[in-house]
Amino acid sequence: MKTSWHIWLQLFRRMPVLVVIANALWLATLVLGIMALNGTSGMVALGAPLFGMGTWFWHMGQGYSLRSLCIPESFLLPDFRRRLLQYAAIDVVQWILIPLVFAALLHTPYLPLVASMVVLIAAIGLMMGCNPRAGVFIWPAFIVLGWMPALFAEVMKTAVQSPLTPLLILAVAVLIVRLSVTPLLRVVDRDVDASPLESTSLGRMQTRGIPGEPRRTGAFGKRIAALYDTTSQRAMTRALASYKRHPTLTRRMVLVRRLLLPHDNPEAIALRIALVAVMVIFYFFLVMHRQHFNAVLIGAYSIMLSLSRFPQLNVGMTRMRPNMADLYLTLAPETRAEYQKVVSDALTVLVPISILTALVYTTLGALVVHAADPWRMLFVAAIVSASASLAALAAHLIGPEGTTGRTIVNFVILFGVMGVYWGGYWLVDTFDYFVGGGILTVITFGFGLSAWFTAQREYLLRPPRFDAPIG
C-alpha cells in the first residue's frame, strides 16, 4: 500500500488540478448513487455523465504518470512490475467495481453493456495519456458520426440489443490497454534525441514528465524522422562542399543555418508541406465534408500553423546553449556582438519559410473548400504572415525562457494574428486591394519591422550564453 500511495502522489504532484477534479467527480457520483438508493429520482441520469468525465480525466492522468514512471532505470527496482499491478488492482476496484456495485443495486438496465462501457472509457483515457497522439485512433468513430449519422444510429440500436456487444466492447478495451501499456513495459535502447531546433513536429505532442524520460516514437514516426534526417544530411553535405570550393561569407551563413536549423532545408520543407497536405485533405473530405464553416478562417488558421515553428525556436536555443560554444570557437568572432549577429541573421531564414508555408496552406485550404474569393485570402495572408513572422521571431528570440511566460507570449501572438487577419480582410473587402492593402501593409509591417529591429538590437547587446538550462 505504501508504494501505491507514492505512485498516487506522483500523479498529484504533476497534475494536482486533474486529480482534484477527477476525485471530486467520483465522490459526487458516489453521493448521487447513495441518494438514488434512498429513492431520490433522477440521480442516475445526473451521475452517469459525471462519472464518465471523472474516469476519463483520471485515467488520462494515470497514463501520463506511467510514461514518467516506466523508464528503463525503474525496472531495476525490486518487484517494480508487481507493484504496478497492485496499483492497477486498486484502480480497478475504485473506478470499475464500486460503480458497478451501485449500478447493480440500482437495477440499471443493460448492466453488461454499462459495465463494458465503463471499462472502455477508462481504457481510452489511459491510451490518450500514454500516447498523446492516440487521438488519431478515435477519429474513425467521429468520421462515421459525421459522415453517416443515420446509419450509425441504426447500428447502435441493433448493437444495444445484441448480447455479444458487451463482449466486443470488452475485447476492444483489452486491446487498447495492451497497445497502450505494453510499449511502456518494454525495456529497449533509447531513441537518439532529435535536434532541439527540429521542425518535423513529430515530437511536439510528447510532453516529458521528468528529465530522462525516453523519447517514444512509433514505427511511422521513425520512418518520417529518418527521411528528415536524410534531407538534413544531404543539405549539410552540399553546403559544406560548396563552402570548400569557394569560401565566402554567404556560404558560411548557409553552413550556420544548416547547423542550427537542420530540418529547414528545401527538401525537408517540401516533405513537411506534403505531410500537412495529406492530413488537411483527409480531414476536410472525411470529417468536414459538409461545408458548414467559414472558408475565410482557413487563412487565419494557416498563419497560426506556420507560426507554430517559432516557440520551438525559443526552447531549442535555450537547450542548445552548451553546444553553441563549439560554434563560437569555430567562427572565432572578433567581438561578441559579431557572433550574436551571425546567429540572429541565420535565424531570419525562418521568416520566408513561415510566409511560404502560410501561403501554401492557405492555397490548399482554399482549393479544398472551394473558397469564394481565394485571391483576397492569399493577399491578406501574405501581408499578415510576413509581419507576424517578424514579430514572432522577435518575441521568441529575446522572450522569456520559462514555460509560463513563453506560453503567454505565444497566445498573445496567435490571438493577435487572428484579429489582424480579420481586420485586414475587412479592410481589403471594404476598400480595394490598393487602399486597403496599403493601410494593412503600413500598419502590420511597421509593427513587425520595428519589433524585429528592436529585438535584434537587444540580442546583440546580450552576451553569448553557454550554460546549461536549469530544468
Side-chain angles (χ1 to χ4, degrees), residues 259-272:
L259 180 66
L260 294 179
L261 307 169
H263 296 147
D264 286 287
N265 57 81
E267 294 178 7
I269 294 171
L271 176 60
R272 186 161 64 246

Side-chain angles (χ1 to χ4, degrees), residues 133-180:
R133 297 190 305 271
V136 68
F137 299 110
I138 308 176
W139 273 26
F142 291 101
I143 291 173
V144 174
L145 279 172
W147 203 352
M148 296 177 292
L151 178 61
F152 182 79
E154 290 297 327
V155 171
M156 291 304 298
K157 288 180 182 179
T158 306
V160 167
Q161 304 298 329
S162 174
L164 298 178
T165 300
L167 297 178
L168 176 62
I169 295 176
L170 284 177
V172 172
V174 171
L175 179 62
I176 290 174
V177 172
R178 179 179 176 82
L179 293 177
S180 304

Side-chain angles (χ1 to χ4, degrees), residues 86-339:
Q86 292 175 355
Y87 183 72
I90 296 174
D91 185 89
V92 169
V93 170
Q94 178 184 358
W95 289 94
I96 295 179
L97 294 184
I98 292 179
L100 290 182
V101 168
F102 273 89
L105 294 176
L106 292 170
H107 304 288
T108 304
Y110 303 108
L111 184 59
L113 184 62
V114 171
S116 61
M117 288 301 299
V118 168
V119 177
L120 181 63
I121 294 173
I124 292 176
L126 184 67
M127 176 184 66
M128 297 183 70
C130 291
N131 183 6
R133 297 190 305 271
V136 68
F137 299 110
I138 308 176
W139 273 26
F142 291 101
I143 291 173
V144 174
L145 279 172
W147 203 352
M148 296 177 292
L151 178 61
F152 182 79
E154 290 297 327
V155 171
M156 291 304 298
K157 288 180 182 179
T158 306
V160 167
Q161 304 298 329
S162 174
L164 298 178
T165 300
L167 297 178
L168 176 62
I169 295 176
L170 284 177
V172 172
V174 171
L175 179 62
I176 290 174
V177 172
R178 179 179 176 82
L179 293 177
S180 304
V181 178
T182 301
L184 302 181
L185 300 180
R186 189 182 301 127
V187 181
V188 295
D189 294 334
R190 296 178 185 270
D191 291 339
V192 178
D193 285 337
S195 168
L197 290 175
E198 61 86 19
S199 59
T200 63
S201 301
L202 292 175
R204 293 182 194 170
M205 293 295 292
Q206 291 183 340
T207 55
R208 294 193 175 188
I210 57 174
E213 180 186 345
R215 180 189 178 101
R216 296 182 175 94
T217 308
F220 178 76
K222 290 180 179 178
R223 290 180 180 272
I224 298 299
L227 288 176
Y228 276 109
D229 292 340
T230 301
T231 61
S232 62
Q233 185 61 42
R234 290 176 182 170
M236 175 61 77
T237 303
R238 289 195 300 265
L240 187 59
S242 177
Y243 182 77
K244 286 181 177 179
R245 286 195 305 267
H246 186 56
T248 61
L249 291 178
T250 302
R251 295 183 177 183
R252 188 186 71 165
M253 180 60 67
V254 173
L255 266 178
V256 174
R257 284 172 176 164
R258 294 292 177 262
L259 180 66
L260 294 179
L261 307 169
H263 296 147
D264 286 287
N265 57 81
E267 294 178 7
I269 294 171
L271 176 60
R272 186 161 64 246
I273 291 175
L275 291 174
V276 173
V278 172
M279 293 174 60
V280 169
I281 292 174
F282 176 81
Y283 181 77
F284 276 100
F285 276 105
L286 294 185
V287 182
M288 301 287 287
H289 60 96
R290 293 176 297 178
Q291 297 186 17
H292 55 272
F293 51 89
N294 191 344
V296 181
L297 284 173
I298 293 174
Y301 289 147
S302 299
I303 299 173
M304 293 173 63
L305 186 61
S306 66
L307 293 182
S308 64
R309 177 73 178 88
F310 292 99
Q312 184 68 19
L313 170 68
N314 186 301
V315 179
M317 291 298 292
T318 303
R319 289 175 54 193
M320 280 188 66
R321 284 201 304 244
N323 307 92
M324 298 292 280
D326 295 333
L327 178 62
Y328 184 88
L329 295 175
T330 302
L331 294 175
E334 295 182 0
T335 62
R336 295 184 299 182
E338 180 184 345
Y339 167 76

Side-chain angles (χ1 to χ4, degrees), residues 393-416:
L393 178 60
H396 288 293
L397 184 65
I398 62 171
E401 297 179 359
T403 303
T404 303
R406 186 170 58 247
T407 303
I408 293 174
V409 169
N410 194 34
F411 273 111
V412 169
I413 293 174
L414 293 181
F415 284 112

Side-chain angles (χ1 to χ4, degrees), residues 324-377:
M324 298 292 280
D326 295 333
L327 178 62
Y328 184 88
L329 295 175
T330 302
L331 294 175
E334 295 182 0
T335 62
R336 295 184 299 182
E338 180 184 345
Y339 167 76
Q340 296 287 79
K341 184 69 164 57
V342 171
V343 174
S344 63
D345 288 346
L347 297 177
T348 54
V349 74
L350 292 176
V351 174
I353 292 175
S354 177
I355 298 171
L356 174 64
T357 53
L359 292 178
V360 172
Y361 297 157
T362 303
T363 302
L364 177 64
L367 291 175
V368 170
V369 302
H370 307 289
D373 195 352
W375 294 111
R376 189 191 310 165
M377 293 171 56

